[in-house]
Amino acid sequence: MKKITIIAIFVIAVSAFLVLKDSDSKPSVQVTYTASESMQPMHKDNQEYGYQVEIHSAVLSEKGTPITYSDLSWQMYFKPKTEGASDLVAMLTNIQFTSDNKAQEMPTQLPFYMTYKDGQFTKLNLLGLGEQHTLSVLPKVLDLMSYSLSAALTFEDAQGMKTYRYTQKDNAVSRTRINTASNPEREEEQWQLTLSDNGSILVGIRELNYHNQQVWQQGEQHYDVVQSVFVRPIDFTSFDYVGWNSNQNGTVSTAQLKAKQVYDITDENLLSHLTELKSSLDADLAAQLGKYLLANQDPNEIKSLLMNHVRLNSALIYALQKAQTPQAEQMLSDLISDEELGQQVRQKIVMALGRFENATNIAFSSLQTVADNAENSALSNMAMLSIGTMNRFSPMQSQQVAGFLNTKLSDPTQLPTAILAIANSKNPELVEKLPNYLHHSDTQVRDNTIKSLAHKTEYQDQVIASLVQSPHVTTIDSFTRVYQQANYKLSENNVDRLQALYREQNNPLIKKRLAVILDI
């Protein structure tokens, strides 16, 4: 199948013809999120707001294999320009964009103006941001966050104009499309906006869940374009507003690919280049070194280099990983079974295969063989973790990865590692199974489950219930370490539960760790 490149910004119901023909970068694999039912908006009556926005897109082959994918997320904060006004000053921060697992350069923040009135975001002013910039997708996201119960709303995207009528039942708002003309062969769309119970605040959005899937036919080629958006409230973080000029974002440039440096690699300077790679981890140098090794060294010579230059074997393995050729994948798969290389080198090869981008069944089968070998538990566990990692770097293997890890949940001896491997995979269907192990009798299983879920706000109720029901030093320590790096705050109810646990505890180690969480 020919290489397809896709624009990496999110466009609602994007025209597949335009995407497949004209774009330069790539959108991401759709991820399904389930928000906690207990999640409540964190916005106060002072009219200051914060939202976490996550956008996921993918182009899939007819068989459902991801061809190209990306993730875009940011934290959005806004407040009235003056007290009680509908005109808002806003800021995007923590902006992250990855295309096919490669991080792309983004600005650290993006200020802008907008208006919110009667459920609609309007009058967006991006202050001179270039139309081709990834963040110019923001108007489409704000369209998704808008609704009106008094009149139909019309939005424009790559296919043309689309008109929707909105209805509300309890706190849930849904929409129905009025005009049905569409370019795709088939389109399925799910949109739901959940509102806050607090009617006194200006923007009463609790969360947004959106999913769109389109089927396109281009000649004999069949594609699915899959997109999803998830928006949830977060605590407001203050930002300075001193009056932004109309071209405030005019200097925010679209990331440019740096020119690839060509290295002159010979047998004489091979070791010096590997030494340089050891410290720089330069991807271009690694790829060129890997291809040079494969073209000029036979398997025995590469094995000899690994064994005779211990301090450089990590760089050499990294070079083979970054070569990204079928020969490199086969070479690493062959080396993984060579016991003469020793445990440490084989573990490094196992990790490299898990991160080998767009790997085939060759790499998966090699890792599976090692993972199934219970005689070498350390290497077996490492292989299982790498199979989980493979799900992110090699989407074509996602079905095999999911099937393999699912079976390991039934193996008591490998269950603790299987849980960590599932967390590595970020497969939402598998991750949804992990809460079942929060009350497991095996302390290691329970500990690994807490490590895997503690950074996700949607699982905080279940994780805290596990800690309160069976407090143990290791599990509470695991939660503390992960939660300190997490991007959410515990609900008031969960704070109360931990405070009660703190008061009734006699174990000084448990109290010490709880004190860190509770900031006592």
Side-chain angles (χ1 to χ4, degrees):
M1 182 179 293
K2 66 179 182 179
K3 179 69 174 177
I4 298 172
T5 55
I6 295 195
I7 213 161
I9 63 175
F10 174 80
V11 180
I12 306 303
V14 65
S15 162
F17 174 76
L18 292 175
V19 167
L20 296 175
K21 180 180 178 183
D22 296 334
S23 45
D24 314 333
S25 51
K26 311 173 182 178
S28 76
V29 172
Q30 176 246 344
V31 179
T32 302
Y33 290 85
T34 303
S36 168
E37 293 181 0
S38 64
M39 181 186 294
Q40 294 295 323
M42 303 176 187
H43 305 145
K44 310 300 181 184
D45 290 340
N46 59 11
Q47 310 293 290
E48 296 175 335
Y49 305 89
Y51 287 98
Q52 173 74 28
V53 177
E54 298 176 6
I55 304 168
H56 311 273
S57 311
V59 174
L60 312 176
S61 70
E62 188 170 6
K63 296 181 179 180
T65 301
I67 298 170
T68 183
Y69 51 95
S70 70
D71 297 298
L72 174 62
S73 65
W74 61 69
Q75 292 170 353
M76 177 168 64
Y77 304 103
F78 53 88
K79 58 187 178 182
K81 201 169 186 179
T82 58
E83 186 174 354
S86 59
D87 292 334
L88 307 173
V89 294
M91 180 74 72
L92 300 189
T93 65
N94 196 24
I95 305 165
Q96 298 181 28
F97 176 46
T98 60
S99 176
D100 287 346
N101 289 308
K102 294 182 175 67
Q104 307 295 317
E105 183 179 355
M106 285 286 113
T108 56
Q109 59 183 26
L110 189 87
F112 60 99
Y113 296 126
M114 61 181 174
T115 296
Y116 187 82
K117 186 175 183 180
D118 298 330
Q120 300 175 54
F121 289 95
T122 59
K123 300 181 182 179
L124 179 65
N125 184 346
L126 293 179
L127 304 176
L129 183 72
E131 292 182 0
Q132 299 304 313
H133 196 280
T134 303
L135 295 177
S136 63
V137 66
L138 179 58
K140 304 303 180 185
V141 175
L142 294 174
D143 286 348
L144 280 178
M145 295 174 66
S146 297
Y147 72 101
S148 173
L149 300 177
S150 59
L153 297 182
T154 299
F155 303 113
E156 183 177 9
D157 62 23
Q159 296 173 14
M161 309 300 289
K162 293 182 178 179
T163 302
Y164 297 91
R165 181 177 290 117
Y166 297 80
T167 56
Q168 181 176 351
K169 182 178 180 181
D170 297 326
N171 285 16
V173 179
S174 57
R175 71 180 189 180
T176 304
R177 187 170 167 187
I178 300 175
N179 59 333
T180 57
S182 181
N183 291 327
E185 298 291 323
R186 186 175 73 251
E187 180 178 9
E188 298 178 2
E189 183 178 72
Q190 297 173 346
W191 179 95
Q192 186 169 68
L193 192 69
T194 306
L195 303 179
S196 167
D197 294 323
N198 187 349
S200 68
I201 60 177
L202 175 66
V203 183
I205 297 173
R206 180 186 296 177
E207 67 180 36
L208 166 71
N209 286 285
Y210 174 80
H211 174 63
N212 181 286
Q213 183 165 358
Q214 301 173 9
V215 177
W216 292 88
Q217 198 76 30
Q218 186 177 7
E220 297 181 357
Q221 305 247 0
H222 168 110
Y223 307 106
D224 284 357
V225 178
V226 184
Q227 303 173 321
S228 64
V229 177
F230 180 61
V231 179
R232 63 176 174 83
I234 56 177
D235 282 343
F236 178 80
T237 297
S238 180
F239 61 89
D240 293 330
Y241 169 64
V242 292
W244 301 317
N245 65 60
S246 60
N247 198 41
Q248 187 82 21
N249 299 323
T251 59
V252 178
S253 60
T254 303
Q256 300 293 323
L257 294 176
K258 66 176 183 179
K260 181 182 292 186
Q261 180 177 350
V262 178
Y263 294 88
D264 181 22
I265 302 171
T266 65
D267 284 349
E268 288 72 26
N269 64 22
L270 175 62
L271 294 180
S272 64
H273 277 305
L274 285 171
T275 302
E276 178 185 349
L277 179 62
K278 180 182 176 182
S279 58
S280 72
L281 297 179
D282 182 272
D284 287 342
L285 175 57
Q288 292 175 51
L289 275 169
K291 291 174 182 177
Y292 178 86
L293 285 165
L294 293 164
N296 295 278
Q297 307 277 337
D298 64 30
N300 287 329
E301 289 173 318
I302 291 178
K303 175 182 175 180
S304 178
L305 284 171
L306 287 169
M307 297 180 70
N308 295 332
H309 299 278
V310 177
R311 294 184 178 181
L312 297 178
N313 57 36
S314 294
L316 195 153
I317 293 167
Y318 179 60
L320 293 175
Q321 173 196 325
K322 286 298 184 181
Q324 295 297 302
T325 65
Q327 294 84 0
E329 181 181 6
Q330 186 65 61
M331 177 65 71
L332 289 169
S333 297
D334 291 341
L335 290 170
I336 204 174
S337 60
D338 194 329
E339 295 184 2
E340 292 184 1
L341 289 173
Q343 181 90 339
Q344 190 177 47
V345 173
R346 293 174 70 196
Q347 285 181 336
K348 293 176 182 178
I349 296 170
V350 162
M351 289 188 287
L353 272 181
R355 293 177 172 272
F356 196 98
E357 295 178 34
N358 300 314
T360 69
N361 190 56
I362 293 173
F364 175 80
S365 297
S366 298
L367 288 174
Q368 182 180 16
T369 299
V370 176
D372 285 336
N373 181 13
E375 294 181 3
N376 189 336
S377 60
L379 196 62
S380 172
N381 289 339
M382 182 70 73
M384 199 184 314
L385 294 173
S386 286
I387 287 176
T389 303
M390 177 178 279
N391 190 67
R392 308 197 316 266
F393 287 86
S394 301
M396 288 187 293
Q397 303 305 315
S398 58
Q399 290 184 350
Q400 290 198 91
V401 169
F404 174 79
L405 294 180
N406 197 43
T407 61
K408 292 300 179 182
L409 290 175
S410 302
D411 184 343
T413 60
Q414 293 193 304
L415 178 58
T417 306
I419 287 170
L420 295 178
I422 286 172
N424 278 355
S425 76
K426 301 188 185 300
N427 180 313
E429 293 182 1
L430 289 178
V431 171
E432 286 176 1
K433 296 183 178 184
L434 296 186
N436 297 330
Y437 301 95
L438 282 169
H439 301 280
H440 200 278
S441 57
D442 186 320
T443 303
Q444 189 62 57
V445 170
R446 186 164 164 258
D447 187 40
N448 287 356
T449 305
I450 289 172
K451 287 178 182 176
S452 301
L453 297 178
H455 68 288
K456 293 177 174 290
T457 184
E458 60 266 37
Y459 292 109
Q460 63 168 290
D461 291 351
Q462 293 157 287
V463 171
I464 298 302
S466 172
L467 295 177
V468 171
Q469 181 176 322
S470 303
H472 192 279
V473 174
T474 57
T475 53
I476 291 180
D477 184 61
S478 294
F479 175 78
T480 303
R481 293 176 186 276
V482 176
Y483 177 68
Q484 285 180 300
Q485 304 299 319
N487 187 32
Y488 73 92
K489 290 187 177 180
L490 291 172
S491 67
E492 291 183 7
N493 181 52
N494 285 326
V495 170
D496 290 343
R497 295 161 80 185
L498 290 180
Q499 286 176 337
L501 178 62
Y502 178 84
R503 288 192 295 269
E504 67 186 34
Q505 270 297 314
N506 295 319
N507 187 317
L509 293 177
I510 290 180
K511 290 181 75 74
K512 181 178 179 180
R513 284 154 178 76
L514 288 173
V516 173
I517 301 171
L518 299 170
D519 196 22
I520 297 175

